[in-house]
């Protein structure tokens, strides 16, 4: 899981839709459904509209191990 949002209090930044590469589809037995996974480094595109000045984004991501255990989400500013 990956999401991007303006940092708290940064009202002058409007991110557009996050574009990620196509992942690999695989069956997740713990969820009982097909999921799409991304591995290694990825390149994402994010259009931004911003007012003048400095702005900050927060990127939240969550990874899962092949065994099905998911790590806690982490946020980077």
């Amino acid at each position: 899981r990956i999401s991007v949002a303006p940092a708290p209090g940064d009202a002058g930044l409007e991110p557009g839709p996050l574009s990620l590469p196509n992942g690999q589809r695989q069956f997740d037995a713990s969820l009982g459904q097909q999921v799409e996974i991304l591995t290694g480094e990825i390149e994402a595109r994010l259009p931004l509209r911003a007012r003048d000045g400095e702005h900050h984004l927060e990127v939240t991501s969550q990874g899962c191990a092949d065994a099905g255990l998911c790590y806690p989400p982490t946020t980077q500013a």
Side-chain angles (χ1 to χ4, degrees):
R1 295 181 191 167
I2 300 173
S3 64
V4 180
D10 195 339
L13 184 63
E14 295 178 34
L18 179 62
S19 176
L20 298 169
N22 290 330
Q24 180 182 22
R25 306 259 320 148
Q26 84 179 34
F27 184 76
D28 184 316
S30 63
L31 294 176
Q33 64 184 11
Q34 290 283 331
V35 295
E36 191 170 326
I37 61 169
L38 299 168
T39 59
E41 290 186 19
I42 63 166
E43 182 175 312
R45 296 189 180 272
L46 180 71
L48 298 171
R49 289 196 326 189
R51 296 187 192 130
D52 289 340
E54 187 173 309
H55 300 281
H56 300 277
L57 288 170
E58 286 189 345
V59 179
T60 302
S61 61
Q62 181 179 23
C64 298
D66 289 336
L69 173 69
C70 291
Y71 306 106
T74 59
T75 300
Q76 297 172 323

